[in-house]
Amino acid sequence: RVQGKRRREIGRRLRLLAKETGEEVKLVDRSRDPSSLGDFLEMEMSGWKGGEGGGAFALRGDTSAWFREWSQRWGDSDRLIVLSLNIGPTPVAMQYFVRAGEGIFCFRIAHDDAFAKYGPGAALLFLGLSFLRDKTDAAWVEAPTDKNNSFFLSLLPERRTLSNILIGTGGLVDRKLVSILPTTSRLVAAQSHTRSRWVQWRTRQPRTLSE
């Protein structure tokens, strides 16, 4: 549940956006709109993701083609939800959600950088959560992101515990390799921890200058 202070701030920015543009600000379901994909790719390129070192899909031909195929496959299975925050007819933020079982995952979000001061991405996610609650029978919504991601944590503060399940689908060698992966992972983590402690210890030791 979004905290009251954050809800009020999002509402204030939405009212300011409507006032300064003179247009209605609304949430639009574009899940079955074939033009939504092109708008999303263009929107990603307008911000930092479209710059050097960014991760916009349209930066590269292969990732753009992958996203188009991905969208087509999920759309054909009726498990793709695309929401847009519009100023009149103009989209200023877009979000892709994916249905999986009883839950929905936040996959990708973008906003028009020209409207960044209004926080359109946060507003879209806030309105989108209400849409998903009212229009779907999903039991939960998850944002699989970094634990320190302040954007998602401020809007989706509850955390879910995720587990990895490894299944060997090949022969004896394949199953054996899968069976030792947890032990290998623990050894690697222990080695990393030991190196980190050693570096910390070394940096705390007093240095002597040779004469």
Side-chain angles (χ1 to χ4, degrees), residues 31-37 64-82 96 98 107:
S31 304
R32 299 185 181 280
D33 179 1
S35 68
S36 61
L37 189 145
S64 178
W66 175 87
F67 183 59
R68 291 179 183 278
E69 181 181 354
W70 178 91
S71 300
Q72 182 67 47
R73 287 173 177 262
W74 285 93
D76 289 347
S77 66
D78 202 29
R79 296 165 67 187
L80 186 67
I81 301 171
V82 184
Y96 274 71
V98 175
F107 174 69

PDB file of all heavy atoms in Angstrom, residues 31-37 64-82 96 98 107:
ATOM      1  N   SER A  31      -3.166  -2.269 -23.968  1.00  0.00           N
ATOM      2  CA  SER A  31      -2.719  -3.648 -24.112  1.00  0.00           C
ATOM      3  C   SER A  31      -2.972  -4.211 -25.500  1.00  0.00           C
ATOM      4  O   SER A  31      -2.213  -5.049 -25.995  1.00  0.00           O
ATOM      5  CB  SER A  31      -3.404  -4.530 -23.061  1.00  0.00           C
ATOM      6  OG  SER A  31      -3.183  -4.046 -21.762  1.00  0.00           O
ATOM      7  N   ARG A  32      -4.043  -3.769 -26.149  1.00  0.00           N
ATOM      8  CA  ARG A  32      -4.381  -4.285 -27.484  1.00  0.00           C
ATOM      9  C   ARG A  32      -4.163  -3.245 -28.577  1.00  0.00           C
ATOM     10  O   ARG A  32      -4.689  -3.379 -29.683  1.00  0.00           O
ATOM     11  CB  ARG A  32      -5.835  -4.760 -27.486  1.00  0.00           C
ATOM     12  CG  ARG A  32      -6.089  -5.890 -26.479  1.00  0.00           C
ATOM     13  CD  ARG A  32      -7.489  -6.426 -26.570  1.00  0.00           C
ATOM     14  NE  ARG A  32      -7.744  -7.476 -25.605  1.00  0.00           N
ATOM     15  CZ  ARG A  32      -7.371  -8.742 -25.739  1.00  0.00           C
ATOM     16  NH1 ARG A  32      -6.728  -9.113 -26.844  1.00  0.00           N
ATOM     17  NH2 ARG A  32      -7.630  -9.642 -24.805  1.00  0.00           N
ATOM     18  N   ASP A  33      -3.391  -2.222 -28.261  1.00  0.00           N
ATOM     19  CA  ASP A  33      -3.099  -1.156 -29.224  1.00  0.00           C
ATOM     20  C   ASP A  33      -1.761  -1.452 -29.897  1.00  0.00           C
ATOM     21  O   ASP A  33      -0.716  -1.373 -29.260  1.00  0.00           O
ATOM     22  CB  ASP A  33      -3.042   0.190 -28.501  1.00  0.00           C
ATOM     23  CG  ASP A  33      -2.709   1.345 -29.428  1.00  0.00           C
ATOM     24  OD1 ASP A  33      -2.539   1.113 -30.644  1.00  0.00           O
ATOM     25  OD2 ASP A  33      -2.611   2.482 -28.919  1.00  0.00           O
ATOM     26  N   PRO A  34      -1.740  -1.802 -31.191  1.00  0.00           N
ATOM     27  CA  PRO A  34      -0.481  -2.165 -31.849  1.00  0.00           C
ATOM     28  C   PRO A  34       0.525  -1.019 -31.932  1.00  0.00           C
ATOM     29  O   PRO A  34       1.729  -1.255 -32.076  1.00  0.00           O
ATOM     30  CB  PRO A  34      -0.934  -2.610 -33.257  1.00  0.00           C
ATOM     31  CG  PRO A  34      -2.270  -1.980 -33.452  1.00  0.00           C
ATOM     32  CD  PRO A  34      -2.902  -1.923 -32.097  1.00  0.00           C
ATOM     33  N   SER A  35       0.055   0.229 -31.811  1.00  0.00           N
ATOM     34  CA  SER A  35       0.968   1.364 -31.893  1.00  0.00           C
ATOM     35  C   SER A  35       1.690   1.627 -30.573  1.00  0.00           C
ATOM     36  O   SER A  35       2.614   2.438 -30.517  1.00  0.00           O
ATOM     37  CB  SER A  35       0.218   2.629 -32.326  1.00  0.00           C
ATOM     38  OG  SER A  35      -0.686   3.054 -31.316  1.00  0.00           O
ATOM     39  N   SER A  36       1.281   0.935 -29.506  1.00  0.00           N
ATOM     40  CA  SER A  36       1.873   1.206 -28.191  1.00  0.00           C
ATOM     41  C   SER A  36       3.352   0.829 -28.154  1.00  0.00           C
ATOM     42  O   SER A  36       4.152   1.491 -27.489  1.00  0.00           O
ATOM     43  CB  SER A  36       1.108   0.445 -27.102  1.00  0.00           C
ATOM     44  OG  SER A  36       1.173  -0.953 -27.306  1.00  0.00           O
ATOM     45  N   LEU A  37       3.734  -0.227 -28.868  1.00  0.00           N
ATOM     46  CA  LEU A  37       5.117  -0.675 -28.835  1.00  0.00           C
ATOM     47  C   LEU A  37       6.050   0.382 -29.410  1.00  0.00           C
ATOM     48  O   LEU A  37       7.084   0.700 -28.810  1.00  0.00           O
ATOM     49  CB  LEU A  37       5.257  -1.994 -29.596  1.00  0.00           C
ATOM     50  CG  LEU A  37       6.620  -2.700 -29.458  1.00  0.00           C
ATOM     51  CD1 LEU A  37       6.430  -4.208 -29.446  1.00  0.00           C
ATOM     52  CD2 LEU A  37       7.554  -2.323 -30.597  1.00  0.00           C
ATOM     53  N   SER A  64      15.917  -4.421 -29.951  1.00  0.00           N
ATOM     54  CA  SER A  64      14.643  -3.911 -30.446  1.00  0.00           C
ATOM     55  C   SER A  64      13.820  -5.036 -31.061  1.00  0.00           C
ATOM     56  O   SER A  64      12.611  -5.167 -30.805  1.00  0.00           O
ATOM     57  CB  SER A  64      14.884  -2.806 -31.477  1.00  0.00           C
ATOM     58  OG  SER A  64      13.662  -2.327 -32.011  1.00  0.00           O
ATOM     59  N   ALA A  65      14.484  -5.878 -31.869  1.00  0.00           N
ATOM     60  CA  ALA A  65      13.790  -7.002 -32.499  1.00  0.00           C
ATOM     61  C   ALA A  65      13.311  -7.996 -31.449  1.00  0.00           C
ATOM     62  O   ALA A  65      12.205  -8.543 -31.543  1.00  0.00           O
ATOM     63  CB  ALA A  65      14.718  -7.693 -33.496  1.00  0.00           C
ATOM     64  N   TRP A  66      14.159  -8.235 -30.423  1.00  0.00           N
ATOM     65  CA  TRP A  66      13.769  -9.153 -29.346  1.00  0.00           C
ATOM     66  C   TRP A  66      12.534  -8.646 -28.631  1.00  0.00           C
ATOM     67  O   TRP A  66      11.609  -9.415 -28.350  1.00  0.00           O
ATOM     68  CB  TRP A  66      14.903  -9.309 -28.343  1.00  0.00           C
ATOM     69  CG  TRP A  66      14.508 -10.133 -27.158  1.00  0.00           C
ATOM     70  CD1 TRP A  66      14.558 -11.493 -27.040  1.00  0.00           C
ATOM     71  CD2 TRP A  66      13.942  -9.650 -25.929  1.00  0.00           C
ATOM     72  NE1 TRP A  66      14.071 -11.886 -25.812  1.00  0.00           N
ATOM     73  CE2 TRP A  66      13.685 -10.781 -25.106  1.00  0.00           C
ATOM     74  CE3 TRP A  66      13.636  -8.376 -25.442  1.00  0.00           C
ATOM     75  CZ2 TRP A  66      13.136 -10.662 -23.833  1.00  0.00           C
ATOM     76  CZ3 TRP A  66      13.085  -8.248 -24.168  1.00  0.00           C
ATOM     77  CH2 TRP A  66      12.845  -9.394 -23.379  1.00  0.00           C
ATOM     78  N   PHE A  67      12.494  -7.353 -28.320  1.00  0.00           N
ATOM     79  CA  PHE A  67      11.355  -6.795 -27.591  1.00  0.00           C
ATOM     80  C   PHE A  67      10.077  -6.867 -28.419  1.00  0.00           C
ATOM     81  O   PHE A  67       8.994  -7.132 -27.886  1.00  0.00           O
ATOM     82  CB  PHE A  67      11.646  -5.348 -27.193  1.00  0.00           C
ATOM     83  CG  PHE A  67      10.567  -4.717 -26.375  1.00  0.00           C
ATOM     84  CD1 PHE A  67      10.186  -5.263 -25.150  1.00  0.00           C
ATOM     85  CD2 PHE A  67       9.924  -3.575 -26.827  1.00  0.00           C
ATOM     86  CE1 PHE A  67       9.185  -4.675 -24.390  1.00  0.00           C
ATOM     87  CE2 PHE A  67       8.922  -2.985 -26.066  1.00  0.00           C
ATOM     88  CZ  PHE A  67       8.547  -3.530 -24.846  1.00  0.00           C
ATOM     89  N   ARG A  68      10.191  -6.658 -29.697  1.00  0.00           N
ATOM     90  CA  ARG A  68       9.017  -6.760 -30.561  1.00  0.00           C
ATOM     91  C   ARG A  68       8.468  -8.192 -30.567  1.00  0.00           C
ATOM     92  O   ARG A  68       7.256  -8.415 -30.467  1.00  0.00           O
ATOM     93  CB  ARG A  68       9.364  -6.313 -31.991  1.00  0.00           C
ATOM     94  CG  ARG A  68       9.653  -4.818 -32.109  1.00  0.00           C
ATOM     95  CD  ARG A  68      10.008  -4.420 -33.531  1.00  0.00           C
ATOM     96  NE  ARG A  68      10.356  -3.019 -33.630  1.00  0.00           N
ATOM     97  CZ  ARG A  68       9.484  -2.015 -33.714  1.00  0.00           C
ATOM     98  NH1 ARG A  68       8.185  -2.307 -33.764  1.00  0.00           N
ATOM     99  NH2 ARG A  68       9.882  -0.765 -33.795  1.00  0.00           N
ATOM    100  N   GLU A  69       9.381  -9.158 -30.680  1.00  0.00           N
ATOM    101  CA  GLU A  69       8.949 -10.561 -30.670  1.00  0.00           C
ATOM    102  C   GLU A  69       8.379 -10.929 -29.302  1.00  0.00           C
ATOM    103  O   GLU A  69       7.361 -11.616 -29.204  1.00  0.00           O
ATOM    104  CB  GLU A  69      10.115 -11.478 -31.012  1.00  0.00           C
ATOM    105  CG  GLU A  69       9.724 -12.954 -31.035  1.00  0.00           C
ATOM    106  CD  GLU A  69      10.896 -13.869 -31.352  1.00  0.00           C
ATOM    107  OE1 GLU A  69      11.991 -13.349 -31.668  1.00  0.00           O
ATOM    108  OE2 GLU A  69      10.723 -15.099 -31.262  1.00  0.00           O
ATOM    109  N   TRP A  70       9.050 -10.487 -28.251  1.00  0.00           N
ATOM    110  CA  TRP A  70       8.591 -10.741 -26.881  1.00  0.00           C
ATOM    111  C   TRP A  70       7.178 -10.201 -26.675  1.00  0.00           C
ATOM    112  O   TRP A  70       6.308 -10.897 -26.144  1.00  0.00           O
ATOM    113  CB  TRP A  70       9.567 -10.092 -25.905  1.00  0.00           C
ATOM    114  CG  TRP A  70       9.216 -10.229 -24.460  1.00  0.00           C
ATOM    115  CD1 TRP A  70       9.611 -11.221 -23.605  1.00  0.00           C
ATOM    116  CD2 TRP A  70       8.403  -9.340 -23.692  1.00  0.00           C
ATOM    117  NE1 TRP A  70       9.096 -11.000 -22.339  1.00  0.00           N
ATOM    118  CE2 TRP A  70       8.354  -9.849 -22.369  1.00  0.00           C
ATOM    119  CE3 TRP A  70       7.724  -8.152 -23.975  1.00  0.00           C
ATOM    120  CZ2 TRP A  70       7.647  -9.221 -21.348  1.00  0.00           C
ATOM    121  CZ3 TRP A  70       7.006  -7.522 -22.957  1.00  0.00           C
ATOM    122  CH2 TRP A  70       6.980  -8.056 -21.664  1.00  0.00           C
ATOM    123  N   SER A  71       6.950  -8.971 -27.092  1.00  0.00           N
ATOM    124  CA  SER A  71       5.631  -8.344 -26.933  1.00  0.00           C
ATOM    125  C   SER A  71       4.557  -9.105 -27.706  1.00  0.00           C
ATOM    126  O   SER A  71       3.437  -9.289 -27.217  1.00  0.00           O
ATOM    127  CB  SER A  71       5.677  -6.882 -27.411  1.00  0.00           C
ATOM    128  OG  SER A  71       6.610  -6.138 -26.682  1.00  0.00           O
ATOM    129  N   GLN A  72       4.910  -9.551 -28.902  1.00  0.00           N
ATOM    130  CA  GLN A  72       3.960 -10.291 -29.727  1.00  0.00           C
ATOM    131  C   GLN A  72       3.563 -11.609 -29.064  1.00  0.00           C
ATOM    132  O   GLN A  72       2.373 -11.958 -28.989  1.00  0.00           O
ATOM    133  CB  GLN A  72       4.575 -10.566 -31.103  1.00  0.00           C
ATOM    134  CG  GLN A  72       3.657 -11.283 -32.074  1.00  0.00           C
ATOM    135  CD  GLN A  72       2.478 -10.423 -32.498  1.00  0.00           C
ATOM    136  OE1 GLN A  72       2.657  -9.259 -32.845  1.00  0.00           O
ATOM    137  NE2 GLN A  72       1.272 -10.985 -32.466  1.00  0.00           N
ATOM    138  N   ARG A  73       4.540 -12.314 -28.534  1.00  0.00           N
ATOM    139  CA  ARG A  73       4.272 -13.612 -27.916  1.00  0.00           C
ATOM    140  C   ARG A  73       3.403 -13.470 -26.669  1.00  0.00           C
ATOM    141  O   ARG A  73       2.437 -14.218 -26.485  1.00  0.00           O
ATOM    142  CB  ARG A  73       5.588 -14.316 -27.560  1.00  0.00           C
ATOM    143  CG  ARG A  73       6.341 -14.867 -28.762  1.00  0.00           C
ATOM    144  CD  ARG A  73       7.704 -15.398 -28.334  1.00  0.00           C
ATOM    145  NE  ARG A  73       8.418 -15.993 -29.453  1.00  0.00           N
ATOM    146  CZ  ARG A  73       8.453 -17.288 -29.722  1.00  0.00           C
ATOM    147  NH1 ARG A  73       7.790 -18.135 -28.953  1.00  0.00           N
ATOM    148  NH2 ARG A  73       9.129 -17.755 -30.751  1.00  0.00           N
ATOM    149  N   TRP A  74       3.742 -12.520 -25.804  1.00  0.00           N
ATOM    150  CA  TRP A  74       2.965 -12.342 -24.584  1.00  0.00           C
ATOM    151  C   TRP A  74       1.587 -11.768 -24.886  1.00  0.00           C
ATOM    152  O   TRP A  74       0.605 -12.100 -24.224  1.00  0.00           O
ATOM    153  CB  TRP A  74       3.718 -11.444 -23.599  1.00  0.00           C
ATOM    154  CG  TRP A  74       4.854 -12.132 -22.934  1.00  0.00           C
ATOM    155  CD1 TRP A  74       6.162 -12.136 -23.335  1.00  0.00           C
ATOM    156  CD2 TRP A  74       4.800 -12.945 -21.767  1.00  0.00           C
ATOM    157  NE1 TRP A  74       6.925 -12.896 -22.480  1.00  0.00           N
ATOM    158  CE2 TRP A  74       6.117 -13.401 -21.507  1.00  0.00           C
ATOM    159  CE3 TRP A  74       3.777 -13.322 -20.904  1.00  0.00           C
ATOM    160  CZ2 TRP A  74       6.421 -14.215 -20.430  1.00  0.00           C
ATOM    161  CZ3 TRP A  74       4.088 -14.136 -19.819  1.00  0.00           C
ATOM    162  CH2 TRP A  74       5.389 -14.573 -19.594  1.00  0.00           C
ATOM    163  N   GLY A  75       1.533 -10.906 -25.892  1.00  0.00           N
ATOM    164  CA  GLY A  75       0.237 -10.361 -26.277  1.00  0.00           C
ATOM    165  C   GLY A  75      -0.687 -11.430 -26.832  1.00  0.00           C
ATOM    166  O   GLY A  75      -1.883 -11.466 -26.527  1.00  0.00           O
ATOM    167  N   ASP A  76      -0.133 -12.333 -27.645  1.00  0.00           N
ATOM    168  CA  ASP A  76      -0.932 -13.417 -28.222  1.00  0.00           C
ATOM    169  C   ASP A  76      -1.471 -14.360 -27.146  1.00  0.00           C
ATOM    170  O   ASP A  76      -2.521 -14.979 -27.326  1.00  0.00           O
ATOM    171  CB  ASP A  76      -0.093 -14.214 -29.231  1.00  0.00           C
ATOM    172  CG  ASP A  76       0.188 -13.430 -30.505  1.00  0.00           C
ATOM    173  OD1 ASP A  76      -0.467 -12.389 -30.713  1.00  0.00           O
ATOM    174  OD2 ASP A  76       1.082 -13.838 -31.266  1.00  0.00           O
ATOM    175  N   SER A  77      -0.740 -14.475 -26.031  1.00  0.00           N
ATOM    176  CA  SER A  77      -1.194 -15.344 -24.944  1.00  0.00           C
ATOM    177  C   SER A  77      -2.115 -14.605 -23.972  1.00  0.00           C
ATOM    178  O   SER A  77      -2.528 -15.180 -22.967  1.00  0.00           O
ATOM    179  CB  SER A  77       0.009 -15.921 -24.189  1.00  0.00           C
ATOM    180  OG  SER A  77       0.722 -14.887 -23.524  1.00  0.00           O
ATOM    181  N   ASP A  78      -2.415 -13.343 -24.277  1.00  0.00           N
ATOM    182  CA  ASP A  78      -3.309 -12.524 -23.451  1.00  0.00           C
ATOM    183  C   ASP A  78      -2.779 -12.360 -22.027  1.00  0.00           C
ATOM    184  O   ASP A  78      -3.545 -12.298 -21.072  1.00  0.00           O
ATOM    185  CB  ASP A  78      -4.717 -13.133 -23.422  1.00  0.00           C
ATOM    186  CG  ASP A  78      -5.788 -12.091 -23.052  1.00  0.00           C
ATOM    187  OD1 ASP A  78      -5.567 -10.908 -23.350  1.00  0.00           O
ATOM    188  OD2 ASP A  78      -6.813 -12.462 -22.476  1.00  0.00           O
ATOM    189  N   ARG A  79      -1.466 -12.269 -21.908  1.00  0.00           N
ATOM    190  CA  ARG A  79      -0.846 -12.108 -20.590  1.00  0.00           C
ATOM    191  C   ARG A  79      -0.047 -10.815 -20.491  1.00  0.00           C
ATOM    192  O   ARG A  79       0.702 -10.606 -19.535  1.00  0.00           O
ATOM    193  CB  ARG A  79       0.047 -13.308 -20.297  1.00  0.00           C
ATOM    194  CG  ARG A  79      -0.721 -14.623 -20.194  1.00  0.00           C
ATOM    195  CD  ARG A  79       0.188 -15.826 -20.272  1.00  0.00           C
ATOM    196  NE  ARG A  79       1.074 -15.925 -19.126  1.00  0.00           N
ATOM    197  CZ  ARG A  79       2.057 -16.828 -19.054  1.00  0.00           C
ATOM    198  NH1 ARG A  79       2.257 -17.679 -20.054  1.00  0.00           N
ATOM    199  NH2 ARG A  79       2.830 -16.887 -17.993  1.00  0.00           N
ATOM    200  N   LEU A  80      -0.209  -9.942 -21.460  1.00  0.00           N
ATOM    201  CA  LEU A  80       0.513  -8.671 -21.482  1.00  0.00           C
ATOM    202  C   LEU A  80      -0.444  -7.523 -21.181  1.00  0.00           C
ATOM    203  O   LEU A  80      -1.524  -7.436 -21.749  1.00  0.00           O
ATOM    204  CB  LEU A  80       1.159  -8.465 -22.856  1.00  0.00           C
ATOM    205  CG  LEU A  80       2.079  -7.248 -23.008  1.00  0.00           C
ATOM    206  CD1 LEU A  80       3.327  -7.418 -22.160  1.00  0.00           C
ATOM    207  CD2 LEU A  80       2.458  -7.055 -24.479  1.00  0.00           C
ATOM    208  N   ILE A  81      -0.034  -6.653 -20.262  1.00  0.00           N
ATOM    209  CA  ILE A  81      -0.822  -5.466 -19.914  1.00  0.00           C
ATOM    210  C   ILE A  81       0.063  -4.246 -20.147  1.00  0.00           C
ATOM    211  O   ILE A  81       1.152  -4.135 -19.580  1.00  0.00           O
ATOM    212  CB  ILE A  81      -1.293  -5.506 -18.449  1.00  0.00           C
ATOM    213  CG1 ILE A  81      -2.140  -6.747 -18.195  1.00  0.00           C
ATOM    214  CG2 ILE A  81      -2.085  -4.244 -18.100  1.00  0.00           C
ATOM    215  CD1 ILE A  81      -2.462  -6.971 -16.721  1.00  0.00           C
ATOM    216  N   VAL A  82      -0.400  -3.330 -20.995  1.00  0.00           N
ATOM    217  CA  VAL A  82       0.339  -2.111 -21.300  1.00  0.00           C
ATOM    218  C   VAL A  82      -0.520  -0.920 -20.897  1.00  0.00           C
ATOM    219  O   VAL A  82      -1.611  -0.725 -21.419  1.00  0.00           O
ATOM    220  CB  VAL A  82       0.687  -2.014 -22.803  1.00  0.00           C
ATOM    221  CG1 VAL A  82       1.543  -0.773 -23.063  1.00  0.00           C
ATOM    222  CG2 VAL A  82       1.407  -3.264 -23.280  1.00  0.00           C
ATOM    223  N   TYR A  96       4.903  -1.698 -18.944  1.00  0.00           N
ATOM    224  CA  TYR A  96       4.588  -3.060 -19.372  1.00  0.00           C
ATOM    225  C   TYR A  96       4.506  -3.963 -18.150  1.00  0.00           C
ATOM    226  O   TYR A  96       5.425  -3.992 -17.325  1.00  0.00           O
ATOM    227  CB  TYR A  96       5.669  -3.582 -20.320  1.00  0.00           C
ATOM    228  CG  TYR A  96       5.450  -3.215 -21.768  1.00  0.00           C
ATOM    229  CD1 TYR A  96       5.612  -1.910 -22.215  1.00  0.00           C
ATOM    230  CD2 TYR A  96       5.058  -4.179 -22.695  1.00  0.00           C
ATOM    231  CE1 TYR A  96       5.411  -1.568 -23.540  1.00  0.00           C
ATOM    232  CE2 TYR A  96       4.860  -3.849 -24.024  1.00  0.00           C
ATOM    233  CZ  TYR A  96       5.027  -2.548 -24.438  1.00  0.00           C
ATOM    234  OH  TYR A  96       4.811  -2.215 -25.753  1.00  0.00           O
ATOM    235  N   VAL A  98       3.416  -8.126 -16.934  1.00  0.00           N
ATOM    236  CA  VAL A  98       3.262  -9.483 -17.439  1.00  0.00           C
ATOM    237  C   VAL A  98       2.534 -10.325 -16.398  1.00  0.00           C
ATOM    238  O   VAL A  98       2.899 -10.324 -15.216  1.00  0.00           O
ATOM    239  CB  VAL A  98       4.626 -10.123 -17.753  1.00  0.00           C
ATOM    240  CG1 VAL A  98       4.448 -11.576 -18.171  1.00  0.00           C
ATOM    241  CG2 VAL A  98       5.336  -9.355 -18.854  1.00  0.00           C
ATOM    242  N   PHE A 107       7.351  -5.267 -15.658  1.00  0.00           N
ATOM    243  CA  PHE A 107       8.469  -5.616 -16.533  1.00  0.00           C
ATOM    244  C   PHE A 107       9.301  -4.410 -16.931  1.00  0.00           C
ATOM    245  O   PHE A 107      10.513  -4.396 -16.766  1.00  0.00           O
ATOM    246  CB  PHE A 107       7.957  -6.337 -17.784  1.00  0.00           C
ATOM    247  CG  PHE A 107       9.035  -6.597 -18.790  1.00  0.00           C
ATOM    248  CD1 PHE A 107      10.038  -7.521 -18.531  1.00  0.00           C
ATOM    249  CD2 PHE A 107       9.070  -5.910 -19.997  1.00  0.00           C
ATOM    250  CE1 PHE A 107      11.053  -7.759 -19.442  1.00  0.00           C
ATOM    251  CE2 PHE A 107      10.080  -6.139 -20.925  1.00  0.00           C
ATOM    252  CZ  PHE A 107      11.063  -7.059 -20.642  1.00  0.00           C
TER     253      PHE A 107
END
